[in-house]
Amino acid sequence: MAITSSAPDYDSYIKTRYFPALDGLRCISIVAVILFHLYHNQYRIAAHGNMGVWLFFAISGFLITTLLLRERSANGRISLRKFYMRRSLRIFPLYYAVVCLYVILTLLVQRHTQQGREFFHHVPYYLTYTSNWFVTLAGAQGVTFYFAWSLATEEQFYLAWPWIIRFTRRWYLPVVFIFFLIGLKFLIGDLESRGLIDPQALLPRIIMSIAYPICVGCIVAFVLHNRHGFAIARRIIGWFGADLTIAVIIGISIYFLNESLMLAIWMVALVAAVCIHPQNIFARLMSFRPVRYIGQISYGMYLLHMMCMQITRGIQTRFRVPTQYVWIIEIGLAIGVASASYWTFERWFLKLKERFSARPAKKQDVAIIAEPVVAERT
């Protein structure tokens, strides 16, 4: 299929239920995070791979809000019960299975070590999705299962966000709420930098756990759901090559805008661009089948890649694999393990999840209905 030079119109966007390029963006995100864990102390480019989590967050805020708004437009209301059933069936089964696996492995290998004792101290926070408030990354050996902070961040946000959309009568009230969250986080961050508040206090930690990309993604979802907003966005980021241009800007600016609101804006702009113009240059690259497949199993890769990394290190030592080639083994192993998880375990729950769709789901819709995942930060 040839690449078209003009973006589809609003009606085409609203009718589109699957954006293949979003799976491609998830692929970039998970690969970036894996490279970060492998090489962040060795290569400068890998040191910024932790920002792959922000791209995950950007997709999450935009996509979930879009689904909620479309459900309300189609049905006149949002079913909170169905939303939380979908979310639970996608997130909880594998998450808690991996928590159990970590418990077993820690009992077998690290039970009497300091790291092992700390892990068992942290288990209640992992089980309740509050690790981003109570677990800090400290110590020379790291913190086992620390990357659960990211799912905690999402689950906390989505405990409240669907209710706000569901029960506010004016469209702008949820947007005002999001701007309030952004401003509050910016204020607390400024006060912390001035030494006026303790960053380890619980309330500042809770506020600072709010993710800029999720917030910006929610706002942009509202913009594109409105016909006039879509028309404006289409003129700004719907032109031929806009998505590739934004991707290049992100690649360059990530060195200077690390964990900033501006970086979140650029990432959400990329997410929106590939949805506005699915046939554009970068969107097409992100839609290649192998790239999309990695994005579709990225949740399993996210939860299991640290275990795979331990196996990879053993292989590297045993066969003296040069460091610069270790990523091939790690990513290949993560894809294999995540594929096994997806096809033998996760798919059972995804089939159940389809019963709670806001509308009758088609086979090709699974990727857009499945909530995005996130990965580790520093």
Side-chain angles (χ1 to χ4, degrees):
M1 184 180 296
I3 297 177
T4 58
S5 58
S6 60
D9 59 15
Y10 173 79
D11 293 327
S12 298
Y13 166 76
I14 289 296
K15 292 177 182 177
T16 302
R17 297 197 63 206
Y18 174 44
F19 300 104
L22 293 186
D23 282 330
L25 293 181
R26 293 189 187 108
C27 172
I28 290 180
S29 299
I30 191 61
V31 170
V33 170
I34 290 175
L35 293 178
F36 168 75
H37 286 148
L38 283 173
Y39 298 124
H40 67 277
N41 289 325
Q42 297 172 285
Y43 303 108
R44 185 181 179 186
I45 188 172
H48 296 277
N50 61 324
M51 285 292 94
V53 66
W54 275 43
L55 186 52
F56 273 126
F57 278 151
I59 298 170
S60 176
F62 172 80
L63 184 53
I64 290 181
T65 303
T66 296
L67 293 174
L68 290 171
L69 293 175
R70 290 185 177 186
E71 179 182 353
R72 187 173 64 182
S73 295
N75 303 334
R77 63 186 298 273
I78 294 171
S79 173
L80 296 174
R81 181 183 70 88
K82 288 184 177 181
F83 172 82
Y84 288 115
M85 285 301 299
R86 293 194 302 268
R87 185 111 186 127
S88 298
L89 287 169
R90 180 65 187 110
I91 299 298
F92 289 174
L94 183 59
Y95 177 84
Y96 284 113
V98 172
V99 171
C100 291
L101 185 56
Y102 267 100
V103 169
I104 294 172
L105 292 175
T106 303
L107 280 172
L108 293 175
V109 179
Q110 295 181 321
R111 182 177 182 180
H112 300 294
T113 67
Q114 179 64 25
Q115 187 173 354
R117 288 189 290 269
E118 288 181 355
F119 169 75
F120 288 114
H121 175 72
H122 295 152
V123 165
Y125 307 130
Y126 297 140
L127 295 177
T128 56
Y129 285 92
T130 55
S131 61
N132 58 333
W133 296 346
F134 300 109
V135 179
T136 58
L137 185 60
Q141 294 183 340
V143 178
T144 301
F145 205 55
Y146 175 75
F147 52 87
W149 76 271
S150 51
L151 280 176
T153 298
E154 280 203 330
E155 295 311 293
Q156 292 156 10
F157 185 86
Y158 296 125
L159 276 178
W161 181 234
W163 291 79
I164 293 172
I165 299 178
R166 169 69 174 80
F167 291 107
T168 50
R169 297 184 178 181
R170 304 292 184 182
W171 68 267
Y172 57 83
L173 292 178
V175 177
V176 170
F177 173 76
I178 292 295
F179 275 111
F180 170 76
L181 291 182
I182 293 174
L184 184 61
K185 177 172 180 175
F186 187 84
L187 174 62
I188 295 300
D190 182 63
L191 293 176
E192 284 186 2
S193 66
R194 296 167 181 252
L196 298 178
I197 59 175
D198 180 9
Q200 298 306 315
L202 181 57
L203 183 58
R205 285 182 63 83
I206 290 175
I207 294 173
M208 292 305 293
S209 70
I210 298 169
Y212 280 143
I214 294 180
C215 293
V216 178
C218 293
I219 293 173
V220 173
F222 269 89
V223 172
L224 296 191
H225 191 70
N226 177 273
R227 184 178 294 273
H228 298 295
F230 179 88
I232 295 172
R234 184 173 181 264
R235 286 195 293 269
I236 297 174
I237 56 176
W239 44 274
F240 181 73
D243 54 352
L244 181 59
T245 301
I246 296 172
V248 171
I249 291 174
I250 292 173
I252 296 174
S253 62
I254 202 170
Y255 292 96
F256 313 102
L257 302 176
N258 192 44
E259 296 195 19
S260 68
L261 177 58
M262 183 56 66
L263 180 60
I265 292 172
W266 280 118
M267 287 186 171
V268 174
L270 178 61
V271 171
V274 299
C275 293
I276 290 174
H277 197 339
Q279 299 301 319
N280 215 333
I281 300 174
F282 191 72
R284 292 280 292 180
L285 293 174
M286 293 297 98
S287 299
F288 287 157
R289 187 181 297 272
V291 177
R292 284 191 290 117
Y293 178 74
I294 294 175
Q296 289 169 353
I297 64 169
S298 59
Y299 183 45
M301 292 179 67
Y302 152 66
L303 282 173
L304 297 165
H305 80 279
M306 292 300 288
M307 292 183 183
C308 293
M309 195 169 297
Q310 296 301 318
I311 298 174
T312 299
R313 288 171 179 168
I315 294 175
Q316 180 186 15
T317 301
R318 175 67 176 81
F319 296 99
R320 299 180 180 179
V321 179
T323 301
Q324 61 268 31
Y325 300 121
V326 169
W327 67 272
I328 300 175
I329 301 174
E330 167 64 16
I331 293 178
L333 186 60
I335 291 174
V337 173
S339 294
S341 168
Y342 183 82
W343 293 107
T344 65
F345 181 72
E346 297 170 62
R347 288 285 292 179
W348 291 96
F349 298 98
L350 289 175
K351 291 178 181 179
L352 290 175
K353 177 172 164 287
E354 292 175 8
R355 299 180 183 180
F356 299 94
S357 175
R359 64 177 70 179
K362 300 178 182 178
K363 182 177 181 181
Q364 63 266 31
D365 296 333
V366 172
I368 187 173
I369 296 174
E371 282 79 359
V373 298
V374 288
E376 172 139 28
R377 66 175 177 183
T378 52

